Amino acid sequence: MRRVRQRLHPIALVICSVTLLLASAWGAFALAYQAPGSPVVKGVATGLWIVFSIAMIAGMWRRRVAIALPLFAAAFALLLVWWHHLPASNDRVWADDVAQMTSGTIDGSHVTLHNVRNFDWRSDTDYTQRWETRHYDLDQLESVDMILSYWSGPAIAHMLVSFGFNDGQHVAFSVEIRRERDETFSEIGGFFKEFELSVIAADERDVIRVRTNVRGEDDTLYRVKMPLQAMRELFLAYVNEANRLVTTPRFYNTVTANCTTLVYHMMTGIVGHLPLGYQLLLSGYLPEYVYARGALDQRETLDTLRALGRITGRAKQADASANFSADIRVGIPAL
């Protein structure tokens, strides 16, 4: 028994040390991104936390477990309390493209969307701003399309969901970070409350064209098979989520609250249980997930749908066309 205890003690010490190391790393990132004050103050707070954590881990190895472990646990608990009470806000100096918040009013089958974005983009820094009020009749809703915009290899894409009406109108919803004017996107920052969450309704010529024609992203459009009632419910779910964010701001999260997981939760509320899959995190592979659920055109292979739905070239050619939405769908079979 003594030999077993002698072996267990260092094993337990290693486990505790690794646990403290992971917790201290999380705390360092949390302070680096969210400690109040200037970058210098953030750096000092982060540095002090790292020194404290190293001292506690060293203390455990020097047989001071009874002191080091409770002391670290208490400090980490205080850090978690502070973290939990960090408030999301709608009151910041926002970047122009997320400066307004989409909201909607619902009157039976008629929906009025406020602050629909319809920018005329010439470059990422040169654009004409337009925020518009638009009206939609859900009785005229006839299609839902999923657009994947690839900007960082095959595994990472931004997802848009576009609703089409039989009068030719399309409106695309995009779940995005609501970044401040001087901020740029950071996957790591997305884990540490760096950005608020935003639901933007936009004209397709804005939200697709800025990606294909201005930012050099590669977009693919897939027609989604859904019952009309489910289409309506998804549209209203976007509107309701946008309205909630107006009154109750929420932080974006790279994993739990992003452009795919938010839609996943909307859809589970509409159709019931949907299995989890790695494609919900590696959003570039989302078409495989949707195809396997039978929600894409099963008459064609996924490779064929991907080839037919690649709209980048058509978007560049359409550019200023008043029929942008129709032009980018040329050659994509209707369901």
Side-chain angles (χ1 to χ4, degrees):
M1 288 297 295
R2 179 178 298 176
R3 289 180 181 177
V4 172
R5 285 196 296 269
Q6 287 174 346
R7 291 173 184 170
L8 284 178
H9 180 268
I11 291 174
L13 195 57
V14 168
I15 292 173
C16 285
S17 297
V18 171
T19 302
L20 261 64
L21 187 62
L22 293 174
S24 64
W26 180 89
F29 277 109
L31 289 166
Y33 277 99
Q34 294 300 332
S38 67
V40 173
V41 173
K42 293 178 188 290
V44 170
T46 304
L48 290 174
W49 171 259
I50 292 172
V51 170
F52 168 78
S53 299
I54 291 173
M56 294 303 99
I57 294 171
M60 289 198 308
W61 284 91
R62 293 177 180 176
R63 302 180 183 274
R64 300 290 188 270
V65 175
I67 297 174
L69 199 56
L71 192 57
F72 183 88
F76 190 68
L78 289 174
L79 192 67
L80 289 177
V81 170
W82 163 75
W83 180 258
H84 179 72
H85 286 89
L86 285 174
S89 174
N90 285 331
D91 186 21
R92 305 189 195 279
V93 181
W94 304 109
D96 289 338
D97 58 330
V98 290
Q100 305 299 325
M101 302 188 72
T102 295
S103 64
T105 54
I106 303 166
D107 181 14
S109 65
H110 297 277
V111 178
T112 299
L113 290 182
H114 308 281
N115 291 323
V116 177
R117 202 182 72 195
N118 187 22
F119 280 27
D120 184 13
W121 297 88
R122 292 173 290 277
S123 74
D124 246 344
T125 57
D126 181 18
Y127 42 80
T128 300
Q129 299 184 49
R130 288 192 296 263
W131 296 93
E132 301 173 350
T133 297
R134 296 190 178 184
H135 306 277
Y136 304 93
D137 183 353
L138 295 183
D139 288 339
Q140 308 303 315
L141 180 60
E142 65 177 10
S143 68
V144 173
D145 296 326
M146 176 180 72
I147 299 114
L148 276 298
S149 188
Y150 292 84
W151 54 273
S152 182
I156 304 298
H158 182 73
M159 184 180 73
L160 311 169
V161 175
S162 183
F163 295 86
F165 297 80
N166 61 18
D167 62 357
Q169 285 195 91
H170 286 82
V171 60
F173 285 93
S174 178
V175 177
E176 302 191 4
I177 63 168
R178 196 175 191 205
R179 71 191 190 286
E180 296 177 57
R181 184 163 292 171
D182 59 347
E183 287 182 325
T184 56
F185 178 68
S186 162
E187 290 91 344
I188 296 175
F191 285 104
F192 293 97
K193 299 185 176 182
E194 181 74 353
F195 314 106
E196 272 76 9
L197 186 67
S198 179
V199 173
I200 294 290
D203 189 284
E204 284 191 335
R205 188 177 176 273
D206 169 333
V207 75
I208 294 174
R209 180 177 168 275
V210 70
R211 287 171 166 77
T212 56
N213 298 26
V214 174
R215 297 174 184 166
E217 299 178 16
D218 193 14
D219 285 22
T220 306
L221 184 148
Y222 300 89
R223 299 188 187 274
V224 180
K225 294 168 58 179
M226 293 178 68
L228 285 172
Q229 183 58 33
M231 292 182 190
R232 292 172 64 112
E233 291 180 22
L234 182 58
F235 188 98
L236 293 174
Y238 268 109
V239 175
N240 290 331
E241 182 63 31
N243 287 343
R244 273 193 293 271
L245 291 174
V246 171
T247 57
T248 309
R250 177 182 175 187
F251 286 113
Y252 173 92
N253 185 280
T254 301
V255 170
T256 61
N258 59 39
C259 65
T260 54
T261 55
L262 200 68
V263 179
Y264 169 81
H265 290 300
M266 290 180 190
M267 287 304 302
T268 56
I270 295 169
V271 303
H273 172 73
L274 289 170
L276 293 170
Y278 70 91
Q279 300 95 335
L280 298 172
L281 299 179
L282 300 178
S283 51
Y285 302 123
L286 194 62
E288 283 84 347
Y289 177 91
V290 180
Y291 189 84
R293 309 279 86 75
L296 299 182
D297 192 347
Q298 302 295 301
R299 298 171 299 179
E300 306 285 356
T301 66
L302 181 57
D303 285 342
T304 299
L305 294 179
R306 184 179 287 113
L308 293 173
R310 189 163 181 247
I311 61 173
T312 304
R314 293 193 289 269
K316 290 179 178 179
Q317 186 174 4
D319 197 45
S321 170
N323 298 313
F324 182 88
S325 293
D327 292 343
I328 63 174
R329 288 172 171 81
V330 172
I332 303 177
L335 291 174

